[in-house]
Amino acid sequence: LSELEALMERMKRLQEDKEDEEASQEEMATRFEKEKKESLLVISGGIWAFPVQFHVSFDDEIVSTDVSRYVEDPGFGYKDFARRGEDHLPTFRAQDYTWENHGFSLVNRLYSDIGHLLDEKFRMVYNLTYNTMATHEDVDTTTLRRALFNYVHCMYGIRYDDYDYGEVNQLLERSLKVYIKTVTCYPERTTKRMYDSYWRQFKHSEKVHVNLLLMEARMQAELLYALRAITRHLT
């Protein structure tokens, strides 16, 4: 099977398995912990020399620019939420502090109406689809979009109790996970070669949808941590 046909077959099989039997809470918790630990082992690609040099790759041509003079803290950047080898990695349980039930109302209190604008943006990007997968039309991509969004949150230690993280492992192959971690955590490392290496049969517009979804998932994860800290401070 081609990469595309194999992906669609896995999506179909997941839907059938879900209808036949749902995983227990214990199984879903175990699958989340496994995915979370494995996400720490995913090494992002590209060339890394920031903050001294910022490398942008177009095909095989590398353009280098010194950007340290434009930032106040050149050393600021993403760090994995836990050290590798730790047995008990911190987990942010989404049901304890969700965007819909907690973050939305707080951010609206802090900055009038910004919550509505953010919520509309999150929903629009999450639901964005042509209902296509490359040459296939009338495809329900909900399962795939949910896996992409939840994998980003998983990398940030956020767990949804009602989601089976086995879907992430089934739908997102290794090269895509590398791309997701790079774009989400180290965007300056992203290269065109990495972009071309996953979902080779998909249209560029569909892959742009992926980028938008990854960025909005990261933004919401960051907001959840920040707003939860503010809530704790206020109470």
Side-chain angles (χ1 to χ4, degrees), residues 11-70:
M11 290 173 62
K12 179 181 178 181
R13 189 167 60 247
L14 281 173
Q15 188 61 40
E16 292 173 349
D17 292 343
K18 185 179 295 184
E19 292 174 356
D20 292 339
E21 182 180 358
E22 290 189 3
S24 67
Q25 283 294 320
E26 183 178 354
E27 288 174 325
M28 290 197 290
T30 300
R31 291 169 184 173
F32 169 77
E33 291 298 326
K34 179 181 178 182
E35 200 63 49
K36 183 172 63 172
K37 289 180 180 179
E38 287 183 354
S39 73
L40 297 177
L41 303 177
V42 174
I43 307 300
S44 64
I47 299 176
W48 173 243
F50 185 77
V52 178
Q53 295 287 321
F54 179 39
H55 292 258
V56 182
S57 175
F58 299 96
D59 296 319
D60 293 326
E61 180 183 359
I62 302 295
V63 180
S64 300
T65 305
D66 183 1
V67 299
S68 59
R69 57 188 168 184
Y70 300 117

Side-chain angles (χ1 to χ4, degrees), residues 121-131 141 145 213:
K121 185 161 71 85
F122 291 145
R123 291 178 185 275
M124 180 185 69
V125 172
Y126 186 86
N127 294 319
L128 193 61
T129 179
Y130 296 136
N131 292 311
T141 62
R145 285 181 280 120
L213 188 61

Side-chain angles (χ1 to χ4, degrees), residues 118-214:
L118 288 170
D119 190 62
E120 182 181 357
K121 185 161 71 85
F122 291 145
R123 291 178 185 275
M124 180 185 69
V125 172
Y126 186 86
N127 294 319
L128 193 61
T129 179
Y130 296 136
N131 292 311
T132 64
M133 290 180 65
T135 57
H136 295 266
E137 298 182 352
D138 298 321
V139 180
D140 183 355
T141 62
T142 303
T143 303
L144 189 56
R145 285 181 280 120
R146 183 171 61 236
L148 290 165
F149 189 93
N150 286 355
Y151 182 63
V152 172
H153 279 204
C154 179
M155 289 193 302
Y156 281 81
I158 299 174
R159 180 197 168 201
Y160 296 88
D161 282 356
D162 60 349
Y163 180 70
D164 183 358
Y165 288 85
E167 293 186 7
V168 169
N169 197 44
Q170 288 288 320
L171 297 177
L172 309 184
E173 70 275 8
R174 182 73 177 182
S175 62
L176 179 52
K177 286 183 176 180
V178 170
Y179 181 78
I180 291 172
K181 185 162 188 177
T182 306
V183 170
T184 306
C185 304
Y186 312 99
E188 64 282 345
R189 300 187 191 184
T190 308
T191 66
K192 188 174 185 300
R193 182 174 298 176
M194 293 172 56
Y195 172 85
D196 291 335
S197 70
Y198 82 96
W199 290 358
R200 289 178 288 271
Q201 295 169 293
F202 280 65
K203 302 172 185 174
H204 287 301
S205 57
E206 293 171 320
K207 297 176 82 166
V208 168
H209 283 185
V210 172
N211 285 356
L212 293 173
L213 188 61
L214 300 182

